[in-house]
Amino acid sequence: MPVTVCWFIQSHRDPEQILRLVRTLRHASRGPIVLRHDHVALALDTTAFEAIPDLHLLPASGRQLRGTFSCQVQPYLDVIAWLEERHVAYDWLINLTAQDYPVTPVRRIEAALEELKVDGFVRWWDVLRTDSPWSRRKARARYWHRFRRWPDGSERLLQALRWITRITPLHFYLDYGPLVGVRLLRTPFTGGLRCLGGRSWWTLRRSAVLYLTEFLAARPDVLRHYRGTVAPEESLLPTILVGSRRFALANDDLRYIDYSGAVRGSPRTLTTADLPLLASGNYHFARKFDLASDPAVLDRIDRELLELDAD
C-alpha cells in the first residue's frame, strides 16, 4: 500500500514561489499539505490556495524570530499537534520552506519511502567531538547558555560591550538579532542525554514524530532548556531522537544545501549552474532557490529532473 507523506511548508516571502512548490507537490502526491505562513513578515493572499485539494493553512501561534524556538521548533510541534487533533492520516512527515524544491520526482520520493526500512533521515553530529563541523565554542555558546532577546537595534551597543563577556558568564549572540545569554551551571545533558547538533530538515516516520512530543511532555526540563537557546532547531530533534536509540535513523537529510561562505547561517542561493550536481540522484530536495536571482532555475528542474513535461 502506498505511503502517505504529509508535507509541512513554512514560508515568509515570495508568494509566487510558495504557490509553485505547493502545486508541484500536489501534482504528484495525494498526501496532505500543511502551509504555515508568517503573515507578519508578508501578507499573503490565500485565494489561489483555496482551490488546491487537501491543502491546509495552519495559523501562526505568535511572532516568529529567526534563531529562536519560535522560528522552526514551535511551528513543527504545532503541526504535529494539529495533525493529531484532526486525526489526519500520514506515514511520513517532511518539513520544507518555500525556498526548497524537489530535485527528485515526488512520486519517486514517495516510492522510496515505501520501500525503506529506516524510520527517518536526520543529519546529526556530537557537538563536542573533534570531528564535529562546529567548534566547541559555538556549541557551548548556543546550548550551554540561556538567552533573552534585547530590543531591536541593540546590536551596536552589545558589540561595543562585547569585552564584558571575557570577564563575566555572559555571551552576546548577534547573528540572529540582539540575544544576550547567561552561562548555565546545569544543563539537561546528563544521564546519557548528549547534546547533538544537526540540520533542521527532517524526513520522519509518524512513530518518530510522535515520540518527539511524548519525550518533551515527559521531560519539561528539556523543553524549557531549549526554549532559551539559540538555533534550537539544529539540536533538539537529533538530541532526542538519535539519543533515544529507539529508531533506525539514517545520518542524512536528503537535501543539497551549500553552506560554504554562509552569511549568518544562510546558505548560498542555487542557480542553473548547480543542475548537474542536483541531478546526481543523491538528494530529494535542494535549497535555497530565489526566482528573483535566477527565474529559469525551477523551470529547468521541472523539465530536466522532475520530468513534469512527460506527465
Side-chain angles (χ1 to χ4, degrees), residues 224-268:
R224 284 194 302 270
H225 177 77
Y226 274 101
R227 285 190 183 278
T229 62
V230 169
E233 70 277 4
E234 295 184 6
S235 176
L236 181 142
L237 187 141
T239 294
I240 293 172
L241 292 188
V242 177
S244 75
R245 300 184 180 180
R246 294 181 177 219
F247 304 100
L249 299 171
N251 195 347
D252 187 355
D253 59 7
L254 303 175
R255 322 290 173 110
Y256 179 75
I257 310 172
D258 184 1
Y259 280 109
S260 60
V263 178
R264 295 191 171 186
S266 184
R268 178 176 65 86

Side-chain angles (χ1 to χ4, degrees), residues 107-120:
R107 289 195 183 101
R108 199 176 300 167
I109 293 173
E110 293 183 330
L113 295 178
E114 184 178 352
E115 299 295 327
L116 289 169
K117 303 303 181 184
V118 300
D119 298 309

Side-chain angles (χ1 to χ4, degrees), residues 11 43-44 51 68 102 108 114 120 163 212-213 216 222 234 250 252:
S11 62
L44 179 67
T68 72
R108 199 176 300 167
E114 184 178 352
W163 60 271
L212 175 67
T213 59
L216 291 174
V222 176
E234 295 184 6
D252 187 355

